[in-house]
């Protein structure tokens, strides 16, 4: 018998939020998990939509006359933005502690022009945790163990699926999102120091979201999808197709399910069909998504093409066994940053530090798309194929060939930096850190902060999707 679910009493505001999530196309299953309720309860809320909205409208008019309404409204904005930041960090596997939440709350309160008397006290933290059903969990080793168990279980099911369903490896794909700090330079470089000294460090912090996809044999590599945030009523008028990349922008700071669905239909399905028909016939195709598959309705995706099946890695297993995480994206980022240095290289006639700084300031998203294309083109079939060994051959260590490629990329990048005026102090350790800058917790938390603040400023917050994070371990947890 299934365990009995604890009864959850929803407020009118929470019911209204659920109605808005339904309007945005969020599935009943995701909503039910996010609020700890049953799918039938979600259906009941939708059936009473009119009564809920009427009650909330009347209640809001009454509250507007309350002297404490403004302060309460500010607190609500802060908590919703903070919770959105929390679940986005959690989805990206950042270790969030109580002190971090309190520190971020103070930072966001200032950004939102919130209550100047807000202290983010330990009592407030406790109430925040209770309101959002965030429980304590202090033993990280248990999570590591479950990661390995989840990975081993998935590998066994994956091999059985290939055998039972008859998928050939050239028709098995992996797709994954990743942020890219596309302007970032090593901390030892003069460009970085100049950006900080002139008070414009953001020129070293701009980021885009990229979507990569390739098959298990390495013979089919799709163009990279690039997404970036733009302010309303602005456009870059960018024809990224010149570089065999796909460029999108909107006022949503991160790549959402609508953008993914367009990519899935207009790029993935189209490209796979064309490749298969060149060989004479359609064949069964499998697309593996990272845990971000929880942002999407897999049932809907699986209905778009009878030959294509879409599934996602378990949340806890993806970092250990997902091919894109086993060297493919890391290789791309090394190639990208080498190409970035080539772009910054001054003409032999001038060859000055100022010219390098000026070249960096003048970088555009068009340059970014070109560099992304060149870097992705440089990721060869061997790298793409070897990344699947963890799933297909139970290899957990990198091959000697992969390690030699990494060493070569580091050495070549150091040599390039030493040719750039103002970068002579860069070394191997700094280059390795630069290669991995997008993956550090500090960078991820900064990106998540930028995203939620942009969403709050340019989209009504009640339209921001806060229910699209994997909730396998409900209720949510943090390390306090």
């Amino acid at each position: 018998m299934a365990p009995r679910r604890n009864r959850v009493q929803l407020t009118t505001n929470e019911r209204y939020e659920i109605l808005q999530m339904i309007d945005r196309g969020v599935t009943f299953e995701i909503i039910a998990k996010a609020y700890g309720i049953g799918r039938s309860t979600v259906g009941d809320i939708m059936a009473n939509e009119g009564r809920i909205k009427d009650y909330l409208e009347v209640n809001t008019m009454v509250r507007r006359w309350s002297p404490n309404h403004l302060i309460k409204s500010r607190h609500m904005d802060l908590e919703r933005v903070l919770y959105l930041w929390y679940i986005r960090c959690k989805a990206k596997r950042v270790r969030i502690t109580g002190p971090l939440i309190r520190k971020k709350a103070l930072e966001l309160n200032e950004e939102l022009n919130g209550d100047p008397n807000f202290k983010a006290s330990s009592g407030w933290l406790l109430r925040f945790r209770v309101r959002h059903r965030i429980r304590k969990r202090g033993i990280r080793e248990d999570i590591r163990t479950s990661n390995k168990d989840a990975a081993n279980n998935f590998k066994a099911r994956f091999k059985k699926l290939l055998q039972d369903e008859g998928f050939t490896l050239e028709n098995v794909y992996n797709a994954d999102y990743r942020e890219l700090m596309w302007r970032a330079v090593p901390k030892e470089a003069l460009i970085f120091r100049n950006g900080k000294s002139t008070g414009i460090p953001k020129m070293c912090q701009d980021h885009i979201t990229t979507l990569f996809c390739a098959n298990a044999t390495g013979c089919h590599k799709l163009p990279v999808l690039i997404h970036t945030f733009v302010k309303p009523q602005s456009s870059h008028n960018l024809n990224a197709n010149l570089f065999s990349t796909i460029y999108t922008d909107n006022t949503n700071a991160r790549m959402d399910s609508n953008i993914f669905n367009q990519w899935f239909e207009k790029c993935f399905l189209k490209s796979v069909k064309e490749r298969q028909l060149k060989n004479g016939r359609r064949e069964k195709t499998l697309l593996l998504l990272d845990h971000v598959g929880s942002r999407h309705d897999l049932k809907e995706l699986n209905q778009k093409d009878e030959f294509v099946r879409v599934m996602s890695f378990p949340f806890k297993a993806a970092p250990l066994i997902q091919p894109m995480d086993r060297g493919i994206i890391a290789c791309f980022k090394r190639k990208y940053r080498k190409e970035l240095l080539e772009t910054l290289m001054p003409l032999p006639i001038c060859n000055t530090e100022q010219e390098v700084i000026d070249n960096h300031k003048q970088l555009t998203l068009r340059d970014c798309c070109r560099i992304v294309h060149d870097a992705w083109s440089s990721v060869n079939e061997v790298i793409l194929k070897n990344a699947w060994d963890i799933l297909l051959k139970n290899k957990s260590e990198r091959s000697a060939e992969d390690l030699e490629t990494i060493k070569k990329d580091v050495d070549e990048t150091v040599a390039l930096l030493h040719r750039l005026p103002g970068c002579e102090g860069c070394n191997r350790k700094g280059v390795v850190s630069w290669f991995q800058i997008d993956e550090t917790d500090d960078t991820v938390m900064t990106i998540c902060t930028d995203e939620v603040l942009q969403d709050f400023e340019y989209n009504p917050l009640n339209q921001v999707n806060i229910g699209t994070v994997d909730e396998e371990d409900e209720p949510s947890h943090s390390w306090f």
Side-chain angles (χ1 to χ4, degrees):
M1 180 181 294
R4 186 180 181 87
R5 183 190 302 111
N6 292 331
R7 183 177 180 84
V8 176
Q9 187 68 36
L10 297 174
T11 65
T12 304
N13 284 334
E14 287 175 324
R15 294 170 187 268
Y16 185 65
E17 289 173 356
I18 289 173
L19 289 173
Q20 292 176 316
M21 292 171 72
I22 293 173
D23 289 341
R24 294 194 303 272
V26 181
T27 65
F28 279 25
E29 181 179 4
I30 290 176
I31 295 173
K33 286 185 177 181
Y35 287 85
I37 58 179
R39 291 167 59 101
S40 61
T41 303
V42 180
D44 291 341
I45 292 172
M46 186 173 70
N48 289 281
E49 177 179 5
R51 294 174 59 189
I52 293 171
K53 289 185 176 180
D54 289 345
Y55 175 84
L56 191 65
E57 182 177 348
V58 172
N59 192 46
T60 300
M61 292 176 64
V62 173
R63 286 191 298 112
R64 282 176 183 167
W65 297 99
S66 169
N68 295 323
H69 174 64
L70 182 59
I71 293 178
K72 289 181 179 179
S73 177
R74 286 176 177 176
H75 282 178
M76 287 176 61
D77 288 344
L78 169 62
E79 288 214 2
R80 295 182 65 166
V81 172
L82 179 63
Y83 182 63
L84 179 58
W85 171 84
Y86 166 76
I87 62 174
R88 287 192 181 180
C89 289
K90 177 191 171 186
K92 296 176 182 179
R93 303 184 180 88
V94 175
R95 185 175 186 267
I96 300 297
T97 64
L100 270 178
I101 290 181
R102 293 172 66 182
K103 180 180 178 181
K104 182 58 64 175
L106 290 172
E107 177 188 331
L108 290 173
N109 186 62
E110 183 176 353
E111 290 282 350
L112 298 172
N113 296 318
D115 179 6
N117 297 318
F118 176 70
K119 302 297 183 183
S121 64
S122 57
W124 168 86
L125 176 63
L126 176 62
R127 293 189 295 272
F128 174 79
R129 185 163 57 82
V130 170
R131 280 192 291 270
H132 296 283
R133 299 187 290 278
I134 302 173
R135 71 184 181 200
K136 291 185 178 181
R137 178 175 293 175
I139 306 176
R140 192 168 183 127
E141 288 71 19
D142 290 343
I143 295 181
R144 287 175 180 160
T145 301
S146 60
N147 280 347
K148 293 179 181 178
D149 292 342
N152 290 332
N153 290 336
F154 183 83
K155 285 194 288 185
R157 289 190 290 113
F158 175 71
K159 291 178 181 179
K160 187 175 187 301
L161 177 66
L162 295 184
Q163 183 176 2
D164 292 348
E165 299 293 331
F167 292 105
T168 60
L169 292 183
E170 67 177 12
N171 292 317
V172 178
Y173 293 79
N174 178 211
D176 190 15
Y177 296 89
R178 202 57 52 90
E179 277 75 28
L180 175 68
M181 309 285 281
W182 69 275
R183 286 176 174 264
V185 293
K187 291 184 178 179
E188 299 81 6
L190 177 64
I191 309 169
F192 184 88
R193 299 196 301 273
N194 180 75
K196 295 188 72 173
S197 65
T198 55
I200 49 173
K202 272 227 167 190
M203 74 175 186
C204 298
Q205 296 177 1
D206 291 345
H207 74 274
I208 58 173
T209 304
T210 50
L211 175 62
F212 302 89
C213 184
N215 67 354
T217 60
C219 68
H220 191 200
K221 184 169 52 175
L222 278 71
V224 179
L225 173 62
I226 299 172
H227 174 72
T228 188
F229 166 84
V230 292
K231 295 180 180 180
Q233 300 176 346
S234 67
S235 173
H236 293 290
N237 296 319
L238 179 65
N239 182 11
N241 293 328
L242 294 173
F243 312 117
S244 299
T245 57
I246 306 168
Y247 174 85
T248 67
D249 60 40
N250 63 22
T251 57
N252 196 339
R254 69 172 183 167
M255 196 177 296
D256 58 21
S257 58
N258 290 330
I259 295 172
F260 179 85
N261 287 339
Q262 292 181 40
W263 171 85
F264 182 74
E265 294 185 26
K266 298 180 181 180
C267 181
F268 179 77
L269 291 182
K270 180 180 178 182
S271 183
V272 169
K273 287 178 185 178
E274 290 176 352
R275 183 185 65 80
Q276 291 179 350
L277 291 177
K278 284 182 180 178
N279 297 330
R281 63 188 178 91
R282 293 295 309 277
E283 296 178 298
K284 283 187 175 182
T285 302
L286 176 64
L287 174 62
L288 298 174
L289 301 178
D290 188 11
H291 70 279
V292 293
S294 61
R295 294 182 190 175
H296 316 299
D297 188 338
L298 295 183
K299 183 177 180 181
E300 178 184 351
L301 292 174
N302 278 300
Q303 294 174 345
K304 292 183 181 295
D305 190 305
E306 61 179 321
F307 289 95
V308 178
R309 177 170 178 176
V310 184
M311 59 187 295
S312 62
F313 289 95
F315 177 76
K316 297 177 181 178
L320 299 179
I321 58 176
Q322 179 176 219
M324 286 292 171
D325 286 330
R326 302 296 295 181
I328 296 176
I329 294 178
C331 179
F332 160 81
K333 290 188 175 181
R334 296 195 304 271
K335 304 294 185 184
Y336 177 91
R337 294 196 158 109
K338 285 171 60 180
E339 293 287 343
L340 176 63
L341 295 181
E342 294 280 7
T343 302
L344 297 178
M345 195 67 66
L347 296 173
I349 302 175
C350 299
N351 201 31
T352 64
E353 293 179 352
Q354 188 58 48
E355 186 179 2
V356 175
I357 293 173
D358 291 341
N359 286 347
H360 186 266
K361 288 180 180 178
Q362 293 167 8
L363 287 173
T364 66
L365 282 168
R366 183 183 181 88
D367 296 314
C368 173
C369 289
R370 175 187 57 78
I371 300 173
V372 166
H373 167 260
D374 292 345
W376 186 231
S377 299
S378 299
V379 179
N380 60 43
E381 290 188 17
V382 175
I383 295 292
L384 296 172
K385 186 177 180 180
N386 287 348
W388 288 81
D389 287 349
I390 185 68
L391 271 176
L392 302 173
K393 300 179 181 179
N394 290 324
K395 288 185 178 180
S396 59
E397 301 296 330
R398 293 185 184 275
S399 67
E401 187 174 17
D402 290 343
L403 294 174
E404 185 61 32
T405 299
I406 295 172
K407 182 179 182 299
K408 180 181 178 183
D409 286 339
V410 172
D411 290 340
E412 290 179 353
T413 303
V414 171
L416 276 172
L417 282 165
H418 288 174
R419 289 169 51 198
L420 271 178
C423 300
E424 297 85 356
C426 297
N427 53 36
R428 289 177 57 86
K429 182 179 179 180
V431 166
V432 172
S433 297
W434 181 39
F435 284 163
Q436 300 171 350
I437 187 173
D438 314 280
E439 313 300 330
T440 65
D441 284 358
D442 286 344
T443 298
V444 173
M445 287 190 291
T446 298
I447 290 174
C448 290
T449 302
D450 288 346
E451 288 180 347
V452 297
L453 288 174
Q454 287 167 348
D455 283 340
F456 177 79
E457 182 175 0
Y458 296 108
N459 296 296
L461 189 60
N462 55 19
Q463 293 182 9
V464 175
N465 191 346
I466 65 171
T468 55
V469 61
D470 190 290
E471 294 288 353
E472 285 184 345
D473 299 317
E474 278 200 287
S476 305
H477 63 269
S478 61
W479 288 262
F480 290 85

